[in-house]
């Protein structure tokens, strides 16, 4: 059964008879969502922050393929969460509706698997609009 909540997921770390490790995520009967898009973020200066938005429908799985990225999230109840992705075998499942920021360390690469095609209509980029949604959700 699918558990629809924000959480860290440990992906398999395969060793095999070759040097190094191999991790993977695949669609299965217990898949989090059907993957409709993949994108990746790179060349972000050390300490720089991106994000500053939430999504109304989008579900995502974030994997830091190199380096380290700190993810800060806030949900509609006003609860705040912080995760550090620093291994390619660690994935963060993000459900809607979370305000997010991602702080990158030098030479980090963040890969994202998404449940929907890109749509700016799904983005809430105004923090006051997000706060208004919080109020609506809690009254
Ligand atoms: C998220 C974090 C981790 C596209 O054209 N297609 C795409 O698939 C995406 C994701 C973005 N874009 C365009 C939209 C903007 O003009 O690329 C530009 C930068 O996108 P954005 O400002 O949304 O980038 P981030 O790093 O702030 O956020 C992105 C995702 O949008 C977001 O869902 O969780 O990465």
């Amino acid at each position: 059964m699918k558990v629809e909540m924000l959480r860290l997921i440990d992906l398999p770390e395969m060793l095999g008879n070759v040097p190094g490790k191999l991790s993977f995520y695949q669609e299965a009967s217990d898949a989090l969502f059907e993957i409709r898009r993949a994108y990746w973020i790179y060349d972000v200066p050390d300490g720089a922050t991106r994000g500053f938005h939430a999504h109304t429908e989008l579900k995502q799985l974030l994997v830091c393929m190199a380096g380290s990225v700190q993810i800060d999230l806030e949900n509609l109840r006003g609860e705040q969460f912080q995760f550090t992705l620093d291994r390619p075998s660690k994935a963060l499942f993000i459900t809607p509706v979370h305000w997010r920021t991602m702080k990158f360390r030098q030479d980090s690469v963040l890969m994202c698997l998404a449940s929907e095609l890109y749509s700016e209509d799904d983005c809430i980029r105004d923090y006051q609009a997000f706060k208004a949604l919080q109020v609506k959700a809690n009254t």
Side-chain angles (χ1 to χ4, degrees):
M1 181 178 137
K2 295 180 196 175
V3 182
E4 296 277 314
M5 59 181 275
L6 173 74
R7 65 187 192 277
L8 272 179
I9 295 168
D10 288 321
L11 301 174
E13 282 193 353
M14 307 304 289
L15 292 171
N17 292 322
V18 282
K21 294 177 181 168
L22 181 155
S23 292
F24 63 91
Y25 174 77
Q26 63 183 3
E27 288 189 23
S29 56
D30 58 350
L32 300 164
F33 52 82
E34 189 180 336
I35 299 165
R36 301 196 68 203
R37 176 168 54 107
Y39 62 92
W40 39 98
I41 302 169
Y42 53 96
D43 282 354
V44 183
D46 186 37
T49 307
R50 300 174 59 108
F52 305 100
H53 63 267
H55 291 279
T56 50
E57 299 290 338
L58 192 69
K59 297 173 194 165
Q60 298 199 101
L61 199 62
L62 273 50
V63 181
C64 182
M65 306 308 262
S68 160
V69 180
Q70 178 188 306
I71 319 272
D72 287 280
L73 297 150
E74 180 178 351
N75 67 16
L76 284 183
R77 287 195 291 273
E79 297 168 317
Q80 298 187 344
F81 306 90
Q82 187 173 88
F83 298 93
T84 300
L85 295 179
D86 53 7
R87 280 191 71 70
S89 60
K90 214 193 269 188
L92 179 63
F93 177 45
I94 306 182
T95 51
V97 177
H98 285 91
W99 186 264
R100 73 214 48 208
T101 58
M102 302 88 66
K103 186 175 180 183
F104 284 70
R105 294 269 68 108
Q106 187 74 41
D107 296 330
S108 296
V109 180
L110 183 66
M111 198 267 298
C112 310
L113 304 176
S115 64
E116 309 296 335
L117 302 183
Y118 182 72
S119 165
E120 190 59 34
D121 291 344
D122 188 60
C123 293
I124 305 162
R125 292 194 184 266
D126 174 4
Y127 190 61
Q128 292 315 314
F130 175 74
K131 293 306 266 182
L133 274 186
Q134 271 184 350
V135 171
K136 200 170 158 191
N138 293 300
T139 49

